Amino acid sequence: LLCPLLDIDNTHNKYIIMSSSYKEPSAILKRLLLPPKNPSLALSADYQWLILTQEPPLPSIELLAKPEEKLAGIRFDPELLTPSRLDYATTLVLQHMKSGERQNVPLPENSEGIRYIRFNPAKAEFVFASKVKNEARLELFQCQLIDSAWTSSKIELKHTKMNFIQGCAYQYSTDGSKLFIKVVPTSITGTSSPPEEPISTGPAIQQVEKGARKAPGRTYQDLLKNEFDEAKLRYYCTTEVVCIDMTTVAAATTGAASKEEEEEEE
């Protein structure tokens, strides 16, 4: 719906650009062609609370223009470590299922939007990730029901960065007392960079053995093509698990780094 302002020269049958910037349509056209999306819903484990979040109707040009990695069928943002072209909710509303009463919860300060809401299975509490404005970073927040009001607070993860490439990075324990989070290992954070593509020393050759049977082969998107792709996938998908004690909100690393790799099917 963004287009440059044009003027038509009927004499010479030409279009003359009167402005170098893009203009937005009127409010009526926006409502007609960009109707709001249905809200996303999340229900608590005890069926007492319902979360309603609203996302933009269409992704922004800035979001679509962001670079993305394509490895082993996964397309992700290499800086944010999330699936590429991911929108974030700009409103957060909680509704009590029995009374129907709703409460608007303000988003964290300096937040572009939220994503990955997960309820505590044992009590009235949930966590969510907030995208920091103008930064490639997601912060973790805890929201609790205190004196009949929902209040949120930030969970400090020190210098670790959550990894959402293969899905939500955190999950509650069965009793809800702990939160397990996949983060980038400390050995990688700030001290190393993705593998560099090697300089080609010759053409890529595919050899077919003598007497091999001809057969059609399935085609998949974004397959791993060489060892360089394998090294990049290993770099971006290597994580370690951090355990958060939700009673004291204290973090501790539970073990060594675990490698989550997608293997190419031939």
Side-chain angles (χ1 to χ4, degrees):
L1 290 179
L2 298 178
C3 59
L5 185 62
L6 302 177
D7 186 22
I8 301 177
D9 185 349
N10 293 323
T11 305
H12 299 88
N13 194 24
K14 293 188 300 183
Y15 291 93
I16 302 172
I17 299 179
M18 300 180 61
S19 174
S20 60
S21 61
Y22 284 91
K23 305 298 181 182
E24 292 193 1
S26 64
I28 296 177
L29 282 178
K30 279 187 176 181
R31 289 197 301 269
L32 178 64
L33 300 176
L34 290 177
K37 291 174 65 176
N38 292 330
S40 299
L41 308 177
L43 188 62
S44 63
D46 59 2
Y47 306 107
Q48 294 298 312
W49 292 96
L50 179 69
I51 293 180
L52 301 94
T53 55
Q54 189 69 54
E55 300 174 4
L58 289 175
S60 64
I61 295 178
E62 181 185 3
L63 180 62
L64 296 176
K66 282 187 176 181
E68 63 178 357
E69 288 285 352
K70 304 175 183 179
L71 298 169
I74 308 173
R75 300 188 177 189
F76 60 92
D77 185 330
E79 293 185 351
L80 201 56
L81 300 182
T82 63
S84 57
R85 300 177 181 178
L86 193 66
D87 268 326
Y88 297 89
T90 54
T91 62
L92 177 60
V93 179
L94 281 107
Q95 176 178 322
H96 192 264
M97 296 298 292
K98 187 174 182 180
S99 64
E101 182 181 355
R102 291 190 175 189
Q103 178 184 343
N104 292 313
V105 179
L107 299 187
E109 186 179 356
N110 202 31
S111 172
E112 288 185 8
I114 63 172
R115 192 86 184 188
Y116 298 113
I117 295 172
R118 294 294 183 270
F119 265 107
N120 189 315
K123 60 180 181 179
E125 171 191 285
F126 64 91
V127 292
F128 61 87
S130 172
K131 168 70 170 62
V132 180
K133 189 175 295 184
N134 300 325
E135 292 186 32
R137 184 160 54 93
L138 287 169
E139 295 180 332
L140 184 62
F141 282 81
Q142 175 189 31
C143 198
Q144 294 177 296
L145 184 61
I146 303 176
D147 297 331
S148 300
W150 288 93
T151 57
S152 61
S153 58
K154 183 179 176 181
I155 298 177
E156 294 290 348
L157 295 177
K158 298 182 180 179
H159 301 293
T160 56
K161 188 174 184 178
M162 294 181 289
N163 189 318
F164 294 86
I165 291 178
Q166 295 189 344
C168 185
Y170 41 78
Q171 180 178 344
Y172 276 102
S173 60
T174 306
D175 60 0
S177 63
K178 294 179 173 58
L179 186 70
F180 299 100
I181 310 172
K182 293 188 299 183
V183 300
V184 178
T186 53
S187 59
I188 294 179
T189 306
T191 60
S192 65
S193 57
E196 296 183 0
E197 187 171 3
I199 300 175
S200 176
T201 59
I205 299 174
Q206 185 177 22
Q207 184 176 356
V208 179
E209 296 182 1
K210 185 178 179 181
R213 182 175 61 89
K214 292 182 179 181
R218 291 187 178 181
T219 302
Y220 298 93
Q221 288 185 325
D222 312 323
L223 293 178
L224 300 179
K225 299 181 289 294
N226 47 43
E227 293 181 358
F228 168 65
D229 283 353
E230 293 179 12
K232 277 205 302 183
L233 181 66
R234 185 178 297 108
Y235 173 85
Y236 285 115
C237 291
T238 297
T239 61
E240 66 182 10
V241 179
V242 170
C243 179
I244 300 288
D245 187 345
M246 298 305 290
T247 59
T248 61
V249 194
T253 303
T254 61
S258 61
K259 296 178 181 178
E260 301 172 355
E261 302 177 29
E262 292 286 338
E263 295 182 357
E264 177 183 3
E265 294 184 11
E266 297 183 356

